[in-house]
Amino acid sequence: MPRYQRLALSSISAAALLAALPAGATTFTISWWGFNGDKMQEIIVNPFQELCGCEVVFETGNNGDRLNRLAMRSGAGVDVIYLTDSYSQAGIEQGLFQPIDRAQVPNIAELYDLAQAPQGEFGPAYTVGRIGLVYDSARVNPPITSWNDLWRADLASSLSLPNITTTAGPMVVLQAGRHAGVDAYTDEDATFAALAELAPNIVTNYNTGSEMINLFSTGEISVSMTQDFTLGRLRDAVPTIEWATLTDGEIAVLNTINIPTGSENVELAHQFINFVLSADIQRQLAEQGVDAPVNATVELSPEAAGMWTYGQEQIDSLQRIDYSQLNPARDRWLDRWNETFGM
Amino acid sequence: MATRIHPLLILFTVLVYVFLLGPLIIIFGASLSDTTYLTFPPQGLSFRWFQNIWDISAFRRTIVTSLQMAFLGTAIALVIGIPAAYALNRYRVTLPGWLSTLFVLPILVPEIVIGFSLLRSVTVQAGVPVWYALLIGHTLLVIPYVIRVVSASLASFDFSIEEAAISLGSPPARTFFTIVLPNIRSGVIAAFILSFITSINDVSVSLFLTGPGVSTLPIQLLAHMEQFFDPTIASVSVVLMLLTILVMIIVERTLGLAIVAK
Amino acid sequence: MKRLAGWMLASPATLAITFLLVIPVAITVGLSFGSPGQGDWGIVQPYADFFASGFRRNVLWRTFTVAGWVTVISLAAGLATAYVVARCPPWMKSTLIVLAVFPLLTGVVVRSFAWLVLLGREGMVNQVLQATGLTDGPVAMLYTQGAVIVAMVYIFVPLMVLVLVGVLENIPEDLMQASSSLGAGPVASFFQVTLPLAVPGLIVGAVLVFTASFTSYATPHLLGGTRQMMMGTFLQQRALVAFDWPGAAVVAAIMLAVIVATVLVMTRVARRLNPMAT
């Protein structure tokens, strides 16, 4: 048989062979950030795969990316989706999620009050975090003690801020407003003028936690604003990283887990949510530096508790954001953000 | 007698080649480093970052998907492209002039515009499943290469041989496979290789068309880079480079490398 | 029958490209227009909005600038290299061409990543700069326009070399010999004989590199970051992050217009500059 025909035939059969790779077991699709993927694999995915006899597949990316893709597919394609509360709020408003049948998720009863039903009948929170500032104590002196320190002249070209499209992004705008002494919602001009003053300090803005960690570990930045879930890996990469003790207070963030309307494995999804809310898994995640526990029955050692938002008292002390006001503002702010930092 | 080349020009050329090949050598070195961060020269030698590619399920899946897209996409493009190239050469007078421009459109239109448009029309509005949409994108990308390269090969083909065979009673279809194709063999192989490499390396179209569980190697590499800035990226790059070298060796064995200079 | 035969053979490809490329792209362009009564500009309102925004104008201008620099530098480097390679003995020539083309086949991500490593604060370039005493501390090179340009030049020089070697080889050696026998030195011969004849090929190479760098995504994304947004990365942000599809369509349509205009203009220029060329 002539060469080209052989080539064509072998190409097609190779492709057919590849296409026939194992697809036997049920596929359970999780949409999450991909951060700490290896630890999640160990603590959550592998045990769950054994429990359900299914194969777990991921869609990764940041909140905006994944929520938009879900919307594009009209709620289909994934079985559970991890999002921060501001984005799950947007998802609920877009009608992308189905209510959770709490009878199938008994572990919800063990959670702190604010985590049980933060968004009504939709998904519970599986972790609580706070947004604050981190800095490399080996390169930044004097240490950071206030949000206003971001504007310090000695921090030129050392800063990376979360992009407006991330969870913490809009908080930057809010803090800039406070720095300018105005309410960011009502006086956007003064707020963004304050942000413009920040521009010389910024190297580049980041879109994912891992990007921010990379920037620290390669020495490109020495200060950033981030959520505390990054602290574990950040300290592994750069041991001199400190979480700044801020005199003007930190912001609470709840991460939720939801079931999209187009999920193909609804029962399995409920089982999964119950699994990740269990005390055992929550404790492991906390001890391994992945997420703070919201299961109130989890008890952590003082060192483990040190890096998390932990304990009723601390949780009660955080500021909460009103997303019904923030979300619409964020869309407005995206353009002004681009103009301020992208010019 | 050839004109003398100024030594400065030769020096410049040497520098350009160092510029072109140096970074690739550095990546190769970095992939062998026994550290968790990227460094050159490598500190300690280890294959663990190559092992890591195999360990990460996302890489295993996307390598498979990329190969599927490349093989299938190219195969489909060959099946619809070779007849089109044949028609352009043999029946040129009966076909409008704009047709050859149409066939080249996927190269002219920016890939990122193609990806975005396909996402909107094929994935969102037509609801085509991810894997098929991705295949459509990849096939579309390589069709012009197939048609152009095979067309060039056919341009130097003497159609009178074919006509002679037909006039001697050979059916047209059989004549195509036994007379025409063997003579444009080098063109078909070149088209296959060019298309394969284009598909494997595509970013801008795959960026829009990938979905949960269905992604290609370059996209996965980009995602990995954002999460872990470790030598795995270097080792995947080396694997891709080795694949390229393999392809070039195949080209050399079957066609002679002169084909590259054409 | 013969007339039909041609169409029948060409129809699968024609249909594929029409339905999978022409129509979707046309829909995208259609999406970029507004409604007749909208704003001051009616159906062109979205474009008016685009050009009214300082940020967007900046992105467009930056893309032109970067693509322009990349084209000029690649052209110069590529031409010099191709000139030398074309004059090498055959055994050396094919090796050199293979070496030049090899990077081209390894893909954009790998090659952009190489510069991410090289230009970092702890990367090789900084190591060399500090070792030779040219700088005291590490220089921040990433996420600047320069980084994007350097990486893109790296991506496109092989392409330029490949195109130009072919072009220069087509210029008969006799012409150069005739020119030198008439008393012209090598430099004069180059500028008055070789270069004019190479112009159509130069234009092809320039157009290829300009359009590819104008529409590039991976390299600006990795090396430019959010502060060096270009049309390709901006389109991705609009479409997949901000979920602003009409806005993304405007960006896509403008990119398309620039490419088409570039190709048309340059083809005309090429024809005028060298009517002798085929």
Side-chain angles (χ1 to χ4, degrees):
Chain A
M1 192 192 290
R3 201 193 196 111
Y4 54 87
Q5 277 191 8
R6 244 185 297 156
L7 195 62
L9 224 67
S10 42
S11 310
I12 299 186
S13 34
L17 219 83
L18 293 172
L21 277 178
T26 327
T27 316
F28 184 73
T29 313
I30 304 180
S31 171
W32 66 20
W33 297 270
F35 191 77
N36 271 326
D38 45 349
K39 294 194 181 150
M40 300 289 250
Q41 183 79 30
E42 205 187 294
I43 301 175
I44 297 183
V45 177
N46 290 341
F48 187 70
Q49 276 184 156
E50 274 181 44
L51 251 171
C52 71
C54 57
E55 200 197 339
V56 174
V57 170
F58 307 108
E59 173 167 60
T60 57
N62 66 12
N63 292 298
D65 200 7
R66 290 180 295 114
L67 186 62
N68 285 332
R69 285 183 189 255
L70 186 66
M72 273 191 285
R73 298 187 301 256
S74 309
V78 297
D79 293 309
V80 282
I81 183 163
Y82 281 68
L83 292 167
T84 61
D85 44 359
S86 67
Y87 278 90
S88 54
Q89 178 69 33
I92 292 170
E93 284 161 17
Q94 291 176 46
L96 294 171
F97 305 144
Q98 46 180 294
I100 306 282
D101 176 10
R102 280 166 159 76
Q104 293 190 47
V105 193
N107 284 331
I108 287 188
E110 293 179 9
L111 307 182
Y112 292 117
D113 287 337
L114 91 164
Q116 290 191 10
Q119 287 161 341
E121 49 178 357
F122 296 97
Y126 68 91
T127 188
V128 59
R130 56 202 204 286
I131 292 182
L133 297 176
V134 284
Y135 64 97
D136 186 348
S137 56
R139 290 167 57 180
V140 176
N141 232 327
I144 309 263
T145 53
S146 151
W147 291 101
N148 292 318
D149 285 345
L150 288 175
W151 277 261
R152 269 167 38 182
D154 65 313
L155 293 179
S157 291
S158 344
L159 188 57
S160 178
L161 291 178
N163 222 342
I164 185 100
T165 50
T166 62
T167 315
M171 325 272 179
V172 177
V173 179
L174 290 177
Q175 295 299 346
R178 241 172 259 160
H179 178 80
V182 299
D183 176 4
Y185 294 115
T186 51
D187 191 348
E188 289 185 1
D189 289 336
T191 309
F192 279 92
L195 273 178
E197 284 169 35
L198 203 44
N201 287 3
I202 297 180
V203 173
T204 185
N205 291 327
Y206 69 84
N207 288 309
T208 61
S210 355
E211 232 181 287
M212 183 255 320
I213 296 184
N214 283 339
L215 288 167
F216 266 112
S217 66
T218 52
E220 299 287 336
I221 60 171
S222 52
V223 184
S224 189
M225 170 175 163
T226 181
Q227 209 177 312
D228 56 357
F229 71 85
T230 60
L231 198 53
R233 271 189 53 195
L234 200 46
R235 284 229 182 94
D236 286 341
V238 186
T240 45
I241 291 281
E242 292 290 336
W243 181 271
T245 329
L246 299 171
T247 52
D248 29 9
E250 295 154 333
I251 307 164
V253 176
L254 291 173
N255 285 5
T256 61
I257 181 166
N258 271 287
I259 305 180
T261 52
S263 165
E264 289 178 1
N265 299 296
V266 182
E267 214 183 287
L268 209 49
H270 281 95
Q271 209 183 333
F272 181 81
I273 298 180
N274 200 43
F275 179 70
V276 299
L277 290 179
S278 65
D280 184 38
I281 299 294
Q282 290 256 313
R283 186 184 43 81
Q284 285 185 53
L285 289 171
E287 286 171 355
Q288 294 284 327
V290 177
D291 277 320
V294 285
N295 190 316
T297 67
V298 171
E299 284 192 23
L300 296 177
S301 65
E303 316 95 64
M307 62 174 163
W308 293 126
T309 315
Y310 173 72
Q312 194 67 55
E313 225 185 278
Q314 189 173 31
I315 290 181
D316 289 338
S317 74
L318 299 169
Q319 313 169 31
R320 295 288 310 278
I321 302 272
D322 177 7
Y323 290 112
S324 57
Q325 206 181 9
L326 185 66
N327 282 352
R330 182 181 62 210
D331 294 331
R332 268 199 331 268
W333 291 344
L334 177 57
D335 264 356
R336 296 203 66 165
W337 178 279
N338 274 334
E339 270 174 59
T340 314
F341 296 120
M343 300 289 267
Chain B
M1 201 173 65
T3 43
R4 235 189 65 232
I5 315 172
H6 198 284
L8 265 185
L9 214 50
I10 297 185
L11 177 66
F12 182 76
T13 305
V14 168
L15 286 177
V16 169
Y17 271 92
V18 169
F19 172 70
L20 286 183
L21 299 171
L24 298 179
I25 297 175
I26 290 177
I27 293 183
F28 182 73
S31 71
L32 293 171
S33 180
D34 199 7
T35 51
T36 54
Y37 51 91
L38 285 155
T39 180
F40 186 87
Q43 295 171 17
L45 290 178
S46 156
F47 281 113
R48 64 193 254 225
W49 297 110
F50 288 91
Q51 174 70 32
N52 201 31
I53 305 175
W54 190 252
D55 289 339
I56 299 181
S57 71
F59 274 123
R60 289 203 305 272
R61 290 187 89 91
T62 52
I63 288 176
V64 167
T65 310
S66 276
L67 287 173
Q68 286 175 336
M69 291 297 145
F71 272 115
L72 275 177
T74 306
I76 297 174
L78 283 171
V79 165
I80 67 177
I82 294 180
Y86 181 83
L88 276 182
N89 275 280
R90 181 89 158 76
Y91 300 111
R92 177 165 308 175
V93 282
T94 68
L95 295 171
W98 50 259
L99 200 60
S100 50
T101 313
L102 181 80
F103 290 147
V104 161
L105 277 184
I107 297 186
L108 282 180
V109 176
E111 281 182 33
I112 201 156
V113 172
I114 297 180
F116 173 57
S117 306
L118 282 178
L119 174 66
R120 201 153 188 283
S121 303
V122 172
T123 308
V124 177
Q125 290 187 323
V128 173
V130 182
W131 195 89
Y132 292 98
L134 195 57
L135 183 61
I136 288 176
H138 280 245
T139 308
L140 202 57
L141 268 182
V142 302
I143 288 177
Y145 293 103
V146 169
I147 295 183
R148 263 294 168 86
V149 174
V150 172
S151 228
S153 223
L154 278 169
S156 52
F157 174 70
D158 186 358
F159 280 95
S160 55
I161 308 177
E162 193 199 13
E163 284 170 34
I166 294 180
S167 70
L168 285 172
S170 171
R174 183 154 169 268
T175 318
F176 179 76
F177 281 100
T178 53
I179 305 271
V180 182
L181 269 188
N183 276 296
I184 57 169
R185 188 195 67 154
S186 61
V188 173
I189 294 182
F192 178 86
I193 288 165
L194 201 55
S195 305
F196 190 87
I197 290 182
T198 305
S199 167
I200 290 272
N201 285 323
D202 170 70
V203 172
S204 300
V205 171
S206 307
L207 181 71
F208 288 93
L209 297 176
T210 51
V214 181
S215 184
T216 61
L217 188 57
I219 301 292
Q220 175 58 27
L221 200 52
L222 279 178
H224 189 92
M225 256 190 255
E226 272 172 36
Q227 291 180 32
F228 314 90
F229 203 65
D230 64 22
T232 314
I233 310 166
S235 56
V236 173
S237 305
V238 170
V239 168
L240 281 170
M241 279 193 256
L242 289 177
L243 186 67
T244 306
I245 294 179
L246 185 68
V247 165
M248 293 188 94
I249 293 178
I250 295 178
V251 173
E252 206 260 342
R253 289 292 152 82
T254 58
L255 301 174
L257 278 167
I259 197 88
V260 166
K262 91 162 159 56
Chain C
M1 186 57 208
K2 208 174 169 195
R3 222 175 309 148
L4 277 183
W7 272 112
M8 267 170 34
L9 290 172
S11 55
T14 314
L15 288 173
I17 295 193
T18 309
F19 282 101
L20 299 173
L21 181 66
V22 176
I23 293 183
V25 172
I27 293 178
T28 298
V29 174
L31 183 63
S32 71
F33 290 106
S35 34
Q38 190 178 332
D40 293 327
W41 292 81
I43 61 170
V44 220
Q45 183 63 41
Y47 288 91
D49 290 338
F50 182 95
F51 287 103
S53 154
F55 169 69
R56 284 166 176 71
R57 282 199 312 269
N58 209 35
V59 169
L60 185 58
W61 178 245
R62 179 183 296 128
T63 315
F64 269 112
T65 313
V66 170
W69 276 115
V70 170
T71 306
V72 164
I73 299 175
S74 309
L75 206 49
L79 187 56
T81 311
Y83 183 78
V84 173
V85 171
R87 270 161 181 66
C88 283
W91 60 268
M92 211 172 151
K93 193 187 297 186
S94 46
T95 315
L96 285 178
I97 294 180
V98 167
L99 283 180
V101 165
F102 175 70
L104 202 60
L105 304 176
T106 58
V108 215
V109 178
V110 169
R111 290 184 289 158
S112 307
F113 163 66
W115 286 96
L116 208 53
V117 173
L118 283 170
L119 294 178
R121 281 195 186 224
E122 292 162 17
M124 267 210 92
V125 176
N126 262 319
Q127 284 175 28
V128 168
L129 283 177
Q130 286 174 78
T132 56
L134 282 169
T135 55
D136 290 323
V139 177
M141 289 181 283
L142 283 179
Y143 311 115
T144 60
Q145 199 169 109
V148 178
I149 292 178
V150 168
M152 284 221 234
V153 165
Y154 183 68
I155 305 275
F156 291 117
V157 161
L159 180 63
M160 201 58 106
V161 169
L162 189 61
V163 168
L164 293 180
V165 166
V167 167
L168 289 175
E169 277 186 332
N170 281 334
I171 297 174
E173 185 82 12
D174 317 346
L175 287 176
M176 288 294 284
Q177 287 181 323
S179 161
S180 65
S181 74
L182 285 171
V187 175
S189 294
F190 177 77
F191 280 101
Q192 289 174 26
V193 179
T194 315
L195 200 54
L197 287 175
V199 157
L202 286 177
I203 292 188
V204 168
V207 167
L208 276 176
V209 172
F210 183 82
T211 54
S213 43
F214 192 87
T215 58
S216 182
Y217 169 76
T219 315
H221 173 72
L222 285 173
L223 287 135
T226 49
R227 300 200 67 186
Q228 293 292 331
M229 218 164 247
M230 288 174 45
M231 291 295 269
T233 41
F234 189 49
L235 176 55
Q236 191 260 1
Q237 193 212 56
R238 285 285 109 192
L240 294 179
V241 179
F243 215 29
D244 168 20
W245 286 35
V250 171
V251 179
I254 293 179
M255 281 172 95
L256 205 51
V258 170
I259 301 304
V260 169
T262 307
V263 172
L264 286 178
V265 166
M266 290 325 265
T267 326
R268 204 149 295 181
V269 169
R271 220 171 283 154
R272 196 165 305 172
L273 278 182
N274 193 353
M276 216 170 68
T278 42

